[in-house]
Amino acid sequence: RKQLSLLNKYRQQAYYWLAEDASIAKCETTEQVRDFKEEERRRNGENSLYALNKYLILQEGSLYGGKAEYIAEPFMELILYLLDSGYSAAMVKGRQVGATSTLGGWMTNRLFHAQNFFGKYICIDQEKTEEIFNDKIKYAFSEYPEWYRLFRDDDGEVKSVALNDRDNMLRV
C-alpha cells in the first residue's frame, strides 16, 4: 500500500511539472536561462518519468519524419518508478510493448545524472545488441536538446556530457 502511494506521488510530480509547460524558449534573460537549465537537470535527475515524457524522442521508421515523442503507458510509469527508486531490473518481455524504449530512455537519462552508471542489454547476438544500442540509446541521446547534452568544464570550455561512439558513449 505504501509503495502504491509513493508511485502515485511520483506520477503526480511528473505530470504536474509537465503541465507547467516550461521551456528554455520562454526565458527572457541569461539568469532565467541558467535557472531553467539547473531546474531541468534537477527534475530530470529526480524523476525519469518527467524526463522521458518531456525529452525522449524515439526513432520510428513508420512515421513521417522518422521520429515519435515518448508517452509513458501505466506499466512504463511503474518501471521508471522502480528504477528511480533504486531497484535493479531484469526482465523478459514480449515484442512491441515499449519496454526496450523505456529502458533505453531511462539509461540515456541516467547518463546525465549518475556517476559510474552501468546498464546492459543482452540480446540474441552482437548485431541485435548494436542495433538496439544505436536505436534506443545513441539516437535518444542525440535527440536531447543540445543545451542539455553540453556542459562547461572548470576552464569554461564547452564539452559533451558523453563521448559519441559506441564503445565509449556510456562512460560519462
Side-chain angles (χ1 to χ4, degrees):
R1 190 170 191 105
K2 181 180 178 185
Q3 285 298 324
L4 185 57
S5 175
L6 294 173
L7 169 62
N8 287 332
K9 286 180 182 179
Y10 177 82
R11 292 179 68 252
Q12 288 172 348
Q13 179 185 56
Y15 292 113
Y16 177 80
W17 287 342
L18 287 166
E20 289 179 355
D21 196 33
S23 78
I24 200 164
K26 294 178 181 178
C27 298
E28 296 176 1
T29 67
T30 56
E31 185 174 283
Q32 288 175 336
V33 168
R34 186 195 70 238
D35 292 346
F36 174 81
K37 288 178 181 180
E38 287 177 11
E39 182 66 6
E40 282 301 279
R41 287 187 192 285
R42 185 191 66 74
R43 287 179 176 188
N44 289 355
E46 183 176 327
N47 192 312
S48 294
L49 176 59
Y50 168 77
L52 271 58
N53 276 333
K54 185 161 185 178
Y55 292 106
L56 183 59
I57 303 295
L58 304 172
Q59 194 167 3
E60 183 57 66
S62 64
L63 295 177
Y64 178 75
K67 298 179 181 183
E69 292 182 4
Y70 177 88
I71 301 169
E73 297 290 335
F75 84 93
M76 297 169 182
E77 296 172 348
L78 176 61
I79 290 170
L80 293 169
Y81 165 73
L82 291 171
L83 291 169
D84 279 355
S85 296
Y87 292 94
S88 296
M91 84 173 43
V92 177
K93 60 167 201 65
R95 292 186 38 77
Q96 304 301 317
V97 296
T100 304
S101 296
T102 298
L103 291 172
W106 181 82
M107 284 188 226
T108 302
N109 188 51
R110 294 275 45 90
L111 286 172
F112 301 112
H113 303 285
Q115 292 182 351
N116 298 320
F117 174 73
F118 180 80
K120 183 180 263 190
Y121 273 113
I122 301 172
C123 300
I124 195 163
D125 57 32
Q126 183 172 346
E127 182 180 334
K128 187 66 176 174
T129 303
E130 288 182 26
E131 177 187 335
I132 287 176
F133 176 83
N134 288 329
D135 289 352
K136 307 297 183 187
I137 298 174
K138 193 170 187 178
Y139 181 81
F141 177 83
S142 72
E143 288 293 319
Y144 264 79
E146 186 174 337
W147 64 262
Y148 198 80
R149 287 184 285 126
L150 302 178
F151 73 98
R152 294 194 182 276
D153 68 8
D154 293 337
D155 298 330
E157 186 177 332
V158 175
K159 298 199 175 178
S160 176
V161 171
L163 300 174
N164 199 19
D165 65 78
R166 186 180 70 80
D167 294 329
N168 291 311
M169 186 173 159
L170 295 180
R171 296 181 187 159
V172 179

